[in-house]
Amino acid sequence: MEIGARAVIFGNVVGVDAPHGAVVTDAGRIVWVGARADVPPDYSAWPQHDMQGRLITPAFIDCHTHIIHGGHRAREFEMRLQGASYEAVARAGGGIVSTVTATRAADEDALVAQALPRLDALLAEGVSCVEVKSGYGLDVETELRMLRAARRLGRERTVRVRTSFLGAHAVPAEFAGRADAYIDEVCIPALRAAHAEGLVDAVDGFLEGIGFDNNQIARVFDVACALGLPVKLHAEQLSHMGGCALATKYGALSADHVEYATDADAALLAASGTVAVLLPGAFYTIRETQMPPIAAFRAHGVPMALATDCNPGSSPLTSLLLAMNMGCTLFRLTPDEALRGLTEHAARALGLKDTGRIAVGLRADLAIWNVETPAELAYRIGFNPLHQRVFGGLT
């Protein structure tokens, strides 16, 4: 059943306090939402689409991915199975730096071609918007190539793409032991060049013992702020290094991973409005045992998003439905929390105010499911119940 520019869609609408809801769309926007019995007569002549009680949610948003990259790291998967830690693999020359070689060797067409199957897997699960990071180039030329490839994804498919410059992801081999020089000579010049070319929506960094320290990230963030770009941060993933404090100092859109965040960090995130992006795929893949402080986030009212963290090393995950299940099973989120994490809070983590909810005036980005409740979305494993994806009012 094709949905056109104008439509009245009946179903079990998330957020409507009635067993039978309706969403009315026009020219890509939601113009009315409520109980089916209350649909204004003005819309009675518009095309009607009865979804037979199916669940209607906002379309999913994957707010943290690294889907642009060359190669894979299956060998490191084997190493971890044999007992090597994520940090040990990185220090042995694997990890992020090992993907750099493959990414530098790939031209833009190759990067796009390799990313499209990953993107298609996400779209098949009702995704309307994907964040894509750079960070596997670690030189000016390749960082720009990654961002150009990311922009192309939004032209190759019906999806919104938000880009994050992640030049401060790792120190490349040619700058080993000279992280400060890398920040000054490569990362910041690449950021300025990418911004000048219109390739950057936000700036990210990896604050960790195997990444960069607070002062180095702060120098990158200072440039981002001068350029008028919002920031986000890989924070407190493998240890506690003050990432949440630094992120909130800069009013970051999000702090991501946050396994080692504390109650005090939760208070800072809540005060700044910074979203905690939970990444259970990485937690699962590297067999982490330190859980994010979910109770503290709840107590302080920190918005919690969920994402795949799709990347070749620590989270080769291309399913937000599985991320939803993992968020509930591993982190004990409720299905409603997980759904909000993939929609409303994911939009907030990207600074988007026109999507992520079913509300008048927002984009008509919807997912229609062959289920009745969010709990059924969350509990299945390896099963995709998507009935239809609506992007900007159209299927």
Side-chain angles (χ1 to χ4, degrees), residues 100-121:
V100 171
T101 300
T103 304
R104 287 179 176 179
D107 63 17
E108 184 179 316
D109 288 341
L111 291 175
V112 171
Q114 291 179 55
L116 281 174
R118 302 169 197 133
L119 177 61
D120 288 340

Side-chain angles (χ1 to χ4, degrees), residues 16-29:
V16 175
D17 189 18
H20 304 288
V23 181
V24 182
T25 67
D26 185 17
R29 296 280 169 173

Side-chain angles (χ1 to χ4, degrees), residues 169-391:
H169 196 196
V171 180
E174 63 269 25
F175 280 88
R178 298 188 298 131
D180 286 305
Y182 168 76
I183 292 292
D184 293 334
E185 297 173 24
V186 176
C187 182
I188 290 175
L191 170 56
R192 293 188 185 280
H195 175 261
E197 202 173 318
L199 297 174
V200 186
D201 297 316
V203 176
D204 201 346
F206 184 37
L207 177 54
E208 193 55 71
I210 58 173
F212 295 91
D213 65 28
N214 296 59
N215 291 332
Q216 290 156 352
I217 295 293
R219 280 155 51 201
V220 177
F221 282 4
D222 285 341
V223 175
C225 291
L227 295 174
L229 295 169
V231 302
K232 54 212 294 102
L233 186 64
H234 289 60
E236 330 293 17
Q237 179 187 9
L238 305 174
S239 61
H240 189 276
M241 292 187 60
C244 287
L246 182 68
T248 56
K249 176 183 175 182
Y250 284 89
L253 293 173
S254 68
D256 300 32
H257 289 288
V258 294
E259 280 90 336
Y260 284 81
T262 64
D263 185 80
D265 291 327
L268 290 173
L269 294 173
S272 69
T274 298
V275 177
V277 178
L278 309 178
L279 303 171
F283 180 92
Y284 168 85
T285 300
I286 65 176
R287 302 171 72 183
E288 182 58 81
T289 57
Q290 176 76 27
M291 284 181 51
I294 304 300
F297 291 157
R298 286 185 182 129
H300 290 282
V302 178
M304 293 180 286
L306 276 171
T308 63
D309 191 18
C310 176
N311 74 73
S314 63
S315 186
L317 174 64
T318 53
S319 170
L320 276 179
L321 286 171
L322 182 52
M324 187 180 192
N325 176 271
M326 287 179 168
C328 295
T329 304
L330 299 177
F331 297 160
R332 296 298 188 262
L333 297 180
T334 68
D336 287 336
E337 285 175 329
L339 179 58
R340 292 183 71 192
L342 296 176
T343 55
E344 177 182 354
H345 294 156
R348 184 170 173 177
L350 298 180
L352 298 175
K353 298 180 180 180
D354 64 346
T355 191
R357 294 179 294 121
I358 300 177
V360 172
L362 300 192
R363 284 177 55 92
D365 293 337
L366 308 170
I368 303 169
W369 306 93
N370 292 313
V371 302
E372 296 179 353
T373 67
E376 191 174 350
L377 275 184
Y379 105 101
R380 294 190 184 277
I381 302 173
F383 178 73
N384 181 2
L386 184 71
H387 176 70
Q388 275 183 301
R389 170 182 175 266
V390 180
F391 180 78

